[in-house]
Amino acid sequence: MEIKNIKSTNIPAFFDQMIKSGKVVIAPVLKKSGKVFFEAVQSYDQVSTDYIQTGFSAKSVVFPKVEELFSFKKDDEGIEITNNLHTIPETVVWGLRPCDASAFNYLTEFFLKENPDTYFTARKEKTTLIAISCAKADNACFCTSVELNPGSTSGSDILLTAMGESVYIELITEKGKAAVETAASLFTPGEEKSKEEFLAKVTSVFSMDEVKVRIKTAYDSAEWKHASMGCFGCGACAFACPTCTCFDIQDEGTQDSGKRLRCWDACGFGLFTKHTSGHNPRTNQTERRRQRLMHKFKYSVENLGIVSCVGCGRCIRNCPAHLNIFENILSVTK
Ligand code: SF4
Ligand code: SF4
């Protein structure tokens, strides 16, 4: 892997050069609420550098909350169908954490493995991920339990690790190298070295090998009731999650014009599995919570070979019922 270094004081110049080169740059921004969210910025002055994790993940860059798949117009000449794929800009996501970058591996498998999704492909091809290693963590973080760590390079195009007055740059992909080329004079060649002393300490809370085995027989565990206690199906866990991919298709318009939209959905919603007949095979929040956790740790492993939880902790921080996914996984697999 190619290594470079940059002085911390030159980071703003690198960042602003990417904007000058015409890219849309999405970065963490501190909001009035005191929380940090990703949004498009115009300069490094707007970027937050003091955060453990953003409120929402960056998945909306490749899988928007509401995405127009196509629109149509009908007149005497016929029907015209258009989409916006050609308008997707070159985009850089700056400052995502290694767990979130790793989530893009799962998203890629999910959207591309069997029936490649044109919309995801177009967005992913134009997206460069510049992740920043975690120097701090909180008690919701559990990346080390899902075989990642605060300095994982998996999924990133570039990983930055602050090391005192300089920043250690791991250039993981060709896209990452191209991003650095936009401001090549700011970088100096480096050598591989340990990042350990500069990374947050995240204690492992379970053994992934054991969970993978035990979850196979967890479906009938009596613990699911406790693991879902208080859940009222708000969907906050799924919307904040970097790997949740449920969506619904909505059509809007009249017989003369309209559009088809793809919108985030959540398996925690009561209507998610409701049939047109009125029958709902998942009748309560216990069954819905079990589905979400079994999907993360069992079904996605069986279907795609990947645990679809990266231990970012957002579902723990955002749950109004204070449910904790790793405590729940421990209880249903004990
Ligand atoms: S955030 Fe909590 S209360 Fe809301 S659906 Fe998820 S587990 Fe249930
Ligand atoms: S399930 Fe929770 S901890 Fe796991 S990736 Fe999703 S939000 Fe993060």
Side-chain angles (χ1 to χ4, degrees):
M1 184 187 311
E2 190 176 347
I3 305 294
K4 287 193 181 281
N5 295 303
I6 183 173
K7 285 184 186 165
S8 308
T9 49
N10 280 334
I11 287 287
F14 170 40
F15 187 94
D16 291 341
Q17 186 55 39
M18 287 189 291
I19 293 176
K20 280 186 201 143
S21 72
K23 293 179 168 52
V24 171
V25 180
I26 312 277
V29 172
L30 178 64
K31 309 302 287 184
K32 280 186 187 153
S33 64
K35 293 188 173 176
V36 172
F37 287 91
F38 282 111
E39 65 180 44
V41 296
Q42 304 308 318
S43 100
Y44 192 72
D45 297 342
Q46 297 169 257
V47 177
S48 175
T49 53
D50 184 18
Y51 59 96
I52 288 175
Q53 188 54 277
T54 51
F56 281 95
S57 77
K59 78 176 172 192
S60 58
V61 173
V62 288
F63 173 37
K65 193 171 177 186
V66 177
E67 179 172 33
E68 183 179 310
L69 300 181
F70 63 81
S71 60
F72 77 91
K73 270 189 203 154
K74 193 171 118 188
D75 57 24
D76 294 342
E77 308 288 309
I79 298 176
E80 184 191 5
I81 295 177
T82 52
N83 66 42
N84 297 326
L85 284 173
H86 60 284
T87 66
I88 295 170
E90 289 282 345
T91 301
V92 172
V93 182
W94 172 276
L96 71 173
R97 295 304 183 193
C99 54
D100 276 4
S102 168
F104 278 72
N105 292 337
Y106 174 74
L107 296 175
T108 303
E109 282 298 300
F110 175 82
F111 281 107
L112 301 189
K113 189 159 184 180
E114 282 181 359
N115 298 301
D117 184 275
T118 311
Y119 302 87
F120 178 88
T121 305
R123 291 182 190 280
K124 178 80 172 24
E125 278 176 358
K126 294 212 169 165
T127 301
T128 302
L129 302 177
I130 303 185
I132 300 181
S133 295
C134 303
K136 291 192 291 186
D138 65 15
N139 56 13
C141 294
F142 62 102
C143 60
T144 50
S145 304
V146 291
E147 299 173 339
L148 297 168
N149 68 68
S152 301
T153 55
S154 169
S156 302
D157 293 303
I158 303 177
L159 180 66
L160 314 183
T161 305
M163 295 184 173
E165 290 180 358
S166 81
V167 178
Y168 179 75
I169 312 275
E170 290 170 273
L171 297 174
I172 299 137
T173 66
E174 292 305 314
K175 266 191 201 171
K177 288 177 191 169
V180 160
E181 281 305 311
T182 61
S185 63
L186 299 173
F187 296 87
T188 53
E191 287 178 1
E192 274 194 50
K193 58 183 172 186
S194 170
K195 297 178 286 192
E196 197 60 36
E197 68 175 294
F198 301 97
L199 301 179
K201 307 291 173 257
V202 179
T203 308
S204 180
V205 287
F206 55 69
S207 152
M208 199 60 246
D209 287 341
E210 283 180 17
V211 165
K212 277 184 185 167
V213 172
R214 292 185 186 169
I215 197 126
K216 289 180 182 168
T217 52
Y219 188 86
D220 292 320
S221 168
E223 293 294 325
W224 287 114
K225 195 161 186 184
H226 183 250
S228 58
M229 202 163 279
C231 173
F232 41 86
C234 66
C237 48
F239 276 32
C241 178
T243 58
C244 275
T245 44
C246 291
F247 60 80
D248 190 18
I249 300 292
Q250 300 280 339
D251 289 335
E252 287 182 355
T254 66
Q255 61 179 354
D256 294 326
S257 67
K259 54 192 172 185
R260 175 159 291 178
L261 307 170
R262 172 158 70 185
C263 315
W264 287 1
D265 205 341
C267 61
F269 292 154
L271 294 180
F272 183 76
T273 44
K274 190 169 183 185
H275 299 180
T276 312
S277 66
H279 172 64
N280 193 336
R282 287 189 210 130
T283 56
N284 56 55
Q285 288 311 122
T286 297
E287 292 176 354
R288 294 172 195 136
R289 177 92 176 142
R290 175 175 64 189
Q291 165 62 25
R292 182 163 191 272
L293 271 55
M294 292 285 283
H295 184 216
K296 299 278 176 205
F297 290 88
K298 181 173 186 286
Y299 308 145
S300 64
V301 175
E302 290 169 352
N303 295 334
L304 299 172
I306 302 181
V307 173
S308 57
C309 171
V310 295
C312 73
R314 284 190 183 84
C315 56
I316 300 170
R317 295 183 201 99
N318 287 320
C319 178
H322 305 293
L323 292 176
N324 180 310
I325 188 170
F326 66 71
E327 288 176 0
N328 296 160
I329 286 294
L330 275 171
S331 69
V332 300
T333 58
K334 69 184 174 198

